[in-house]
Amino acid sequence: MCPTDTSPALLPKSDAVERQNAHLLSLRHLDPFSMKFVPIPAGEAVCRVHAIRGGVMDASLGIFEHGSKEGERVPYGIDFFFLIEKLWNDGREPTRMLFDLGLRAGGFDKPAYKYIEKTWTIDPGRGAAKILESMNIPVESIRAIILGHNHFDHVGDLRTFPPTADLIVGPGTTDLAGLANEMDVPLKTLEERTVKYLSRERDKWKDVGTFRGHDYFGDGSLFILDAPGHVPGHLAALVRTSSSPPIYHLLASDTAHQITLLRSPKNPSTTRKRYAAYPKFGAEERDGVVPLDSMHNNLEEAYRTIAKAERMDLEDNVNVFLAHDWTMDITLGGNGGPGAGPRARVLAKKEYVTLEGTKEELDRFKSRDWQHMKYEVYSTALQ
Ligand SMILES: [Zn+2]
């Protein structure tokens, strides 16, 4: 049979765009229950986790979800990072680690950031190191930083952490020079510390829930999860914060950018779920066709990781925590009401919240009353 398809390169541009759009829209959310699930191992070892507000970004909803109405806006794009403290029962000081670093105080001097700065409103806040200082956590006590991925809103400013803080990045992350560029730091900042590239082949991984996890302390209290799709090397982390009953927080970075892209209709608190595609930045409409793009480098893979996280979230004792989940910010006492936006950081009652690890806390997080948090309520307040 002779293929009737014409090479996209030879097609009129609008046809090629239509084809790319059709491809993006042909990819779909997957059934979370189709994901293999291996029970998460129980155990006594636990960590304490603090969710920290690492800045705020105000952006239009359309860049995250295909199908949102024109002018609809994310109430505000919170940017969380996390302090993980591994607790020991032999009197030792906790071992401290960070998951992501949030935004950089003062912003970046990179063209991509300058473009975003013009189109969004960004308040990067004080930066991870200063916030930790105000929590009486010396930066020297941070043993390692797990980088969920290397985008500007997650890399903070590594120069503010001494070389004694190792950096842990996921499989497939760009080489050291590329990483220095993405993190906007001199190469020396990486060369003077241990940068651990996790490897799917050389490191030990085991099935934990729906994910492949690297058991960091060897006792099940912290699994670094391989969570591909958003960008090469994208990681998540599963932290046990209580042993009986066992309670877990899944720090999911940018597995999805909005909670509506994660939560299943099977979950009663969800009202809708849209595509993780959006009209391409600055692209012109051609013959009535708007080119689409995705936040995710590999959208098909991203949907698989979203389904895995969604399946985990449907467990009673697991809470999935997306880096930009403003519903979680409200749950934790932020000010996400009308008029929020960059001011939310200033108005927020707390700069960080300790995820206590009690069943009550977990139930509170998981019961985000999504039905009463409609975008429309906030959409005009930010214009
Ligand atoms: Zn992000």
Side-chain angles (χ1 to χ4, degrees):
M1 244 174 79
C2 188
T4 52
D5 279 2
T6 314
S7 158
L10 301 174
L11 289 169
K13 212 166 175 186
S14 55
D15 286 357
V17 167
E18 260 176 47
R19 198 172 280 212
Q20 167 67 3
N21 286 359
H23 170 67
L24 284 177
L25 295 177
S26 72
L27 302 172
R28 288 281 191 281
H29 283 280
L30 302 171
D31 178 358
F33 288 107
S34 70
M35 299 292 125
K36 179 179 138 193
F37 185 90
V38 174
I40 305 164
E44 287 303 308
V46 293
C47 295
R48 189 162 50 205
V49 179
H50 310 268
I52 305 173
R53 295 186 172 88
V56 179
M57 299 179 289
D58 159 27
S60 82
L61 181 61
I63 67 161
F64 300 112
E65 295 182 5
H66 182 61
S68 57
K69 285 185 219 148
E70 203 178 331
E72 228 179 339
R73 301 194 57 92
V74 176
Y76 62 103
I78 187 73
D79 194 9
F80 283 110
F81 69 96
F82 300 86
L83 168 65
I84 300 169
E85 294 183 296
K86 160 72 179 156
L87 306 177
W88 305 98
N89 51 18
D90 58 4
R92 257 186 290 168
E93 284 289 297
T95 302
R96 292 181 173 136
M97 307 179 63
L98 294 171
F99 183 86
D100 277 346
L101 292 175
L103 284 156
R104 176 179 297 190
F108 289 92
D109 201 20
K110 298 177 75 165
Y113 184 84
K114 293 284 168 208
Y115 174 79
I116 290 168
E117 217 173 22
K118 261 190 238 150
T119 47
W120 301 5
T121 313
I122 300 184
D123 181 347
R126 297 191 288 155
K130 278 261 166 3
I131 297 173
L132 290 172
E133 199 180 291
S134 67
M135 295 167 72
N136 292 319
I137 307 284
V139 288
E140 293 76 22
S141 70
I142 302 296
R143 288 285 153 262
I145 298 161
I146 304 166
L147 199 61
H149 64 291
N150 59 18
H151 282 164
F152 75 91
D153 50 326
H154 300 260
V155 301
D157 190 348
L158 191 63
R159 297 168 302 180
T160 56
F161 289 88
T164 44
D166 298 349
L167 186 70
I168 301 170
V169 298
T173 301
T174 176
D175 65 12
L176 221 53
L179 190 56
N181 182 49
E182 291 290 340
M183 298 185 79
D184 201 18
V185 292
L187 188 57
K188 180 175 137 301
T189 311
L190 294 177
E191 285 174 340
E192 67 189 5
R193 75 187 67 224
T194 301
V195 180
K196 164 78 178 160
Y197 281 77
L198 287 172
S199 158
R200 291 194 182 106
E201 293 77 34
R202 290 189 303 281
D203 287 304
K204 275 196 202 150
W205 300 80
K206 52 177 139 178
D207 292 328
V208 52
T210 48
F211 283 90
R212 296 284 290 164
H214 175 64
D215 189 354
Y216 188 77
F217 291 108
D219 58 12
S221 61
L222 168 63
F223 282 97
I224 301 178
L225 307 178
D226 191 11
H230 180 47
V231 286
H234 188 267
L235 294 173
L238 183 71
V239 194
R240 185 164 57 217
T241 53
S242 169
S243 56
S244 71
I247 286 173
Y248 302 89
H249 291 277
L250 199 167
L251 316 179
S253 201
D254 283 358
T255 291
H257 292 82
Q258 286 294 303
I259 195 68
T260 40
L261 295 167
L262 180 90
R263 292 215 143 179
S264 163
K266 294 179 185 75
N267 185 322
S269 66
T270 305
T271 55
R272 54 186 165 174
K273 194 159 72 171
R274 292 162 166 169
Y275 300 117
Y278 64 96
K280 208 173 185 136
F281 287 133
E284 297 282 310
E285 189 176 305
R286 281 182 79 93
D287 304 331
V289 184
V290 181
L292 297 178
D293 204 345
S294 170
M295 277 286 169
H296 303 293
N297 182 274
N298 182 337
L299 185 55
E300 200 164 359
E301 190 79 67
Y303 277 133
R304 197 168 304 123
T305 297
I306 287 172
K308 287 180 185 179
E310 193 177 345
R311 174 65 186 85
M312 296 289 266
D313 199 51
L314 290 170
E315 290 291 293
D316 281 348
N317 62 344
V318 181
N319 170 57
V320 175
F321 209 134
L322 301 175
H324 305 295
D325 183 358
W326 58 273
T327 68
M328 186 60 92
D329 192 54
I330 293 170
T331 307
L332 295 178
N335 265 281
R343 285 195 307 129
R345 190 189 65 79
V346 182
L347 296 173
K349 294 184 196 84
K350 300 166 187 164
E351 198 159 30
Y352 73 94
V353 175
T354 305
L355 307 182
E356 300 287 358
T358 62
K359 190 74 175 67
E360 292 67 36
E361 281 287 311
L362 190 83
D363 289 345
R364 192 157 71 85
F365 300 147
K366 286 182 74 83
S367 67
R368 285 170 285 203
D369 190 354
W370 177 246
Q371 293 198 333
H372 293 101
M373 293 185 218
K374 296 211 187 296
Y375 291 121
E376 288 77 11
V377 174
Y378 307 107
S379 59
T380 53
L382 286 169
Q383 301 307 307

